[in-house]
Amino acid sequence: MNTPYIIDDQEGGRFKVARNTFTSQEVFEQERDRIFQNCWLYLGHESELSKPGDFVARSVAGQNLLFVKGRDGVIRALFNVCPHRGATVCREKKGNSKSFQCMYHGWVFKNTGEIAHLSGEPAYEDNFKDDGNCDLRHVPHFDQYAGFYFVAFKKEIEPLADYLAGAKEYLDIVANQSAAGMEIIGGTQEYSIGANWKLLVENSVDGYHAEATHATYLDYLMNTNGSLTATRLAGKGHDLGNGHAVIEYSAPWGRPIAQWIPMWGETGKAELDRVYAELVERLGEDKAKQMATLNRNMIIFPNLVINDIMAITVRTFYPTAPNEMMVNGFALGVIDESDWRREYRLSNFLEFIGPGGFATPDDVEALEQCQRGFQSAANVPWNDISKGMKAKTPSFDDEVQMRAFWREWNRRMTSEEG
Amino acid sequence: MSNENAMAELLRFYRVQQLLFKEASLLDAWQLQEWLALFTDDGSYFVPPTDVPAEEADPAKHLYYIADNHDRLTERVIRLDKKTCHSEYPRSKVQRLVSNILIDDVAADGTITVKAAFTVYRSKNGITDTFMGNYVYVLKEQGDELKISRKTCNLALNGLRPQAKISIIL
């Protein structure tokens, strides 16, 4: 590409992104090296591994990983790749196991990654497996913050806590919604979208599109007592540093923590009052109010979205081609919540979020239509992301959060060291 | 089996088959209000996740794709009839094939559990998506009519790749 990727004219209040960043094979390949090999990437949540031997096999940036709690109680991230000839070792998506056997030549690994049985061992040199070359390999960097586990492949990388920058404060808000902790609820929404992955980054933190794209969802809220009609969509956008950003705003829909709506009746009101009282006691009035009544859509650079809205979704996605991404969507809930609250949390999730919700299908349509439009990139070359660029306090429906992402993306894609 | 029993079973099967085929026909024609009228007043509609075994999946405990009680199912139909339902306006073309109909159980109160296989094709923007799987219906007599009390669509897929979304009724 000969043109710049972005035009960032702060004086003139104009921010443009080149549409061929969404279509170019060259950009796609550079992203693999400069973004996905070089950043901390989300792997999984601590609640997915409660007992020793619990494992989840997951693909991260196209690499098959094993997220596993060993019999020693230690949580690890291993390459789910046989050190012998490269076959995928664990072919189940999740479960509990003391060991993993490669189906090709029968090597067996402990759930700590160490070789347990080298088939045909007498034919190898003595001490052949003692130097670790027969063990499953560890992902170079593995760390967690507030129960969210991340991996990084680059040899040298800044510590996770530094990388997360201002996003830590907002991860805490998600992680501290109960003294007992949070958990990923069983059942994953796995889907693909025929659009560039960066379109979903933008869309996940886009407060501007709700009224046009999601008109039918807002109608639904009005039809069903699913809203507090006096509560307006209003709030702010924040650049959290290192490409991370959040919008924080009030909204009319119900929140299982803890914004009641008429549909939930008196039982629901009593329960959410109790939830709120506990928050105030544990965290103080200000934090409790922020946690309970405000919604947050957050992007953690490059591809983790945590949206604490009518329910909490954790979503991560990877490009498989310039015009295709794979998405994994999870629901996060409070570990010790009542059956009633869990049921309403899931019900709330499904009314908006995910492939069968009243909103996500229209987002998918929008993203795929953008991707089609980008076929004209040679003639209509620029996207505009200027909204609220000169505002002192950017609104939630301005675009400061997308500019934060794009500036970091551009920095990494154009820096000398690569 | 007596002739009488055999005739009763045949008639029951015929009624079930007619209901399922009529349902498919109404959905293919986008006659969604008429489709909704095939449900009981408390009828519900579910699409479970693809990574939880069908016999374990529970909408109160697992993240589904769709879990509609009758109120939300009604709202889904209202939404799908609007021009602002962008994913389905302009409307896609859809074609359902329903087969392998099996009456699984007939309870003492006349409630019938039915299994069937489905393929649903959806074409839009030059792309055809295929959804396949099995239906589990709970059917109840209401007046002289057999109605759908519960419809579950178990997808025989590893996720919605490449379908992306379930913007139609399966």
Side-chain angles (χ1 to χ4, degrees):
Chain A
M1 284 181 46
N2 298 319
T3 54
Y5 294 140
I6 66 171
I7 296 172
D8 188 356
D9 173 10
Q10 308 206 18
E11 188 111 330
R14 284 173 196 277
F15 194 101
K16 304 279 185 188
V17 173
R19 288 182 178 168
N20 52 15
T21 60
F22 297 92
T23 58
S24 155
Q25 183 69 24
E26 186 191 335
V27 167
F28 166 72
E29 284 168 16
Q30 284 185 8
E31 282 176 340
R32 191 179 53 206
D33 298 333
R34 288 171 167 258
I35 307 282
F36 293 103
Q37 283 288 330
N38 275 355
C39 291
W40 283 97
L41 304 173
Y42 178 68
L43 174 61
H45 189 261
E46 63 180 1
S47 64
E48 295 179 272
L49 308 174
S50 51
K51 298 183 297 295
D54 281 355
F55 69 87
V56 177
R58 197 159 275 163
S59 177
V60 172
Q63 306 204 51
N64 288 336
L65 305 184
L66 202 51
F67 181 43
V68 58
K69 185 177 253 185
R71 60 180 181 170
D72 54 3
V74 175
I75 292 179
R76 294 178 175 84
L78 305 167
F79 286 101
N80 187 11
V81 174
C82 190
H84 178 221
R85 294 289 178 79
T88 303
V89 174
C90 174
R91 294 172 300 139
E92 287 173 275
K93 292 176 86 168
K94 61 184 169 187
N96 184 283
S97 186
K98 286 185 175 133
S99 62
F100 304 99
Q101 181 168 29
C102 179
M103 52 79 71
Y104 197 7
H105 299 91
W107 288 24
V108 179
F109 307 91
K110 295 177 192 170
N111 57 22
T112 56
E114 288 168 77
I115 186 86
H117 173 70
L118 180 61
S119 43
E121 190 168 358
Y124 287 96
E125 289 297 305
D126 290 349
N127 309 324
F128 184 75
K129 59 185 169 54
D130 292 357
D131 67 354
N133 84 94
C134 296
D135 299 342
L136 292 176
R137 298 292 191 275
H138 290 247
V139 177
H141 303 278
F142 180 56
D143 202 356
Q144 64 91 28
Y145 185 83
F148 296 92
Y149 278 84
F150 293 78
V151 291
F153 302 114
K154 192 188 181 186
K155 290 236 162 45
E156 286 177 26
I157 194 162
E158 64 193 307
L160 177 66
D162 296 347
Y163 178 86
L164 290 172
K168 290 196 290 289
E169 179 189 340
Y170 290 89
L171 282 170
D172 287 336
I173 292 178
V174 171
N176 292 336
Q177 297 195 359
S178 147
M182 306 297 287
E183 67 180 350
I184 295 287
I185 298 167
T188 315
Q189 295 187 335
E190 301 172 284
Y191 52 109
S192 64
I193 301 178
N196 187 273
W197 68 281
K198 299 184 290 298
L199 278 163
L200 188 55
V201 170
E202 293 181 345
N203 174 260
S204 297
V205 291
D206 184 337
Y208 185 20
H209 77 301
E211 280 181 39
T213 307
H214 302 311
T216 60
Y217 173 71
L218 298 172
D219 291 348
Y220 160 83
L221 290 181
M222 298 297 281
N223 284 351
T224 55
N225 277 337
S227 72
L228 297 168
T229 46
T231 307
R232 286 181 51 243
L233 282 159
K236 294 174 188 169
H238 305 282
D239 180 337
L240 301 174
N242 288 353
H244 320 309
V246 70
I247 52 174
E248 192 169 39
Y249 55 100
S250 60
W253 51 72
R255 289 169 49 77
I257 176 163
Q259 179 164 290
W260 175 85
I261 48 169
M263 196 200 266
W264 293 346
E266 286 308 308
T267 319
K269 195 161 197 325
E271 173 141 2
L272 290 196
D273 285 348
R274 274 199 301 279
V275 168
Y276 189 73
E278 188 277 333
L279 291 179
V280 172
E281 193 183 346
R282 189 161 50 88
L283 305 164
E285 182 83 45
D286 290 350
K287 203 47 137 181
K289 196 173 174 194
Q290 179 189 17
M291 196 181 268
T293 63
L294 296 181
N295 297 268
R296 282 158 294 273
N297 296 48
M298 174 161 61
I299 173 74
I300 293 182
F301 191 92
N303 68 336
L304 173 63
V305 168
I306 299 179
N307 285 353
D308 176 3
I309 42 181
M310 64 290 297
I312 306 172
T313 183
V314 176
R315 176 195 297 158
T316 181
F317 40 95
Y318 295 96
T320 49
N323 62 355
E324 185 185 61
M325 73 182 111
M326 297 292 164
V327 188
N328 287 325
F330 309 90
L332 192 72
V334 166
I335 282 181
D336 58 352
E337 65 192 339
S338 67
D339 291 347
W340 177 89
R341 200 166 152 221
R342 177 57 58 91
E343 199 173 331
Y344 272 89
R345 175 184 298 283
L346 287 169
S347 172
N348 245 26
F349 189 110
L350 294 186
E351 76 180 16
F352 187 89
I353 312 165
F358 283 17
T360 300
D362 295 338
D363 287 317
V364 171
E365 176 75 9
L367 270 46
E368 293 185 346
Q369 292 301 339
C370 289
Q371 193 69 34
R372 283 170 176 256
F374 298 158
Q375 293 304 312
S376 304
N379 296 300
V380 193
W382 297 100
N383 267 357
D384 184 278
I385 312 196
S386 308
K387 192 164 185 280
M389 198 160 168
K390 299 193 97 168
K392 274 205 183 107
T393 316
S395 166
F396 82 105
D397 58 355
D398 285 337
E399 293 169 334
V400 64
Q401 59 283 359
M402 294 168 215
R403 291 189 289 273
F405 170 85
W406 278 109
R407 284 184 184 125
E408 178 66 8
W409 181 90
N410 186 61
R411 187 186 71 75
R412 288 177 175 272
M413 291 292 283
T414 58
S415 70
E416 285 299 321
E417 70 265 30
Chain B
M1 186 186 292
S2 70
N3 268 350
E4 216 167 281
N5 283 350
M7 286 303 289
E9 276 198 26
L10 209 55
L11 183 62
R12 182 185 297 122
F13 182 81
Y14 176 76
R15 290 179 76 207
V16 167
Q17 187 187 49
Q18 282 296 102
L19 174 60
L20 266 55
F21 286 180
K22 183 178 180 187
E23 188 205 2
S25 167
L26 288 171
L27 287 172
D28 287 346
W30 283 91
Q31 291 177 263
L32 301 181
Q33 291 292 350
E34 291 82 352
W35 170 76
L36 186 62
L38 300 178
F39 280 72
T40 58
D41 294 342
D42 61 351
S44 51
Y45 167 64
F46 300 92
V47 182
T50 51
D51 66 341
V52 176
E55 59 277 11
E56 288 173 23
D58 176 350
K61 294 191 174 125
H62 296 111
L63 179 64
Y64 272 42
Y65 285 107
I66 295 171
D68 286 350
N69 60 16
H70 196 267
D71 287 346
R72 193 149 76 194
L73 188 54
T74 304
E75 291 295 326
R76 185 175 295 277
V77 166
I78 291 170
R79 174 176 134 76
L80 282 167
D81 273 337
K82 286 182 176 167
K83 283 189 177 181
T84 44
C85 177
H86 307 292
S87 49
E88 288 300 334
Y89 191 88
R91 280 175 175 167
S92 51
K93 289 188 177 179
V94 285
Q95 180 65 54
R96 287 163 182 76
L97 297 176
V98 179
S99 181
N100 306 12
I101 299 169
L102 178 73
I103 295 183
D104 201 39
D105 184 61
V106 182
D109 68 353
T111 300
I112 306 173
T113 307
V114 176
K115 290 180 177 170
F118 68 85
T119 309
V120 180
Y121 298 101
R122 170 189 185 266
S123 283
K124 195 179 178 184
N125 297 326
I127 293 169
T128 299
D129 284 315
T130 307
F131 299 87
M132 65 268 200
N134 64 78
Y135 293 134
V136 179
Y137 288 94
V138 176
L139 306 177
K140 289 189 171 160
E141 297 282 355
Q142 204 172 70
D144 289 340
E145 279 186 281
L146 203 53
K147 296 252 182 182
I148 302 167
S149 166
R150 185 181 175 101
K151 175 180 180 177
T152 303
C153 312
N154 294 308
L155 292 165
L157 297 168
N158 297 134
L160 295 168
R161 295 170 176 159
Q163 299 86 350
K165 58 190 182 292
I166 309 172
S167 53
I168 53 170
I169 308 265
L170 290 180

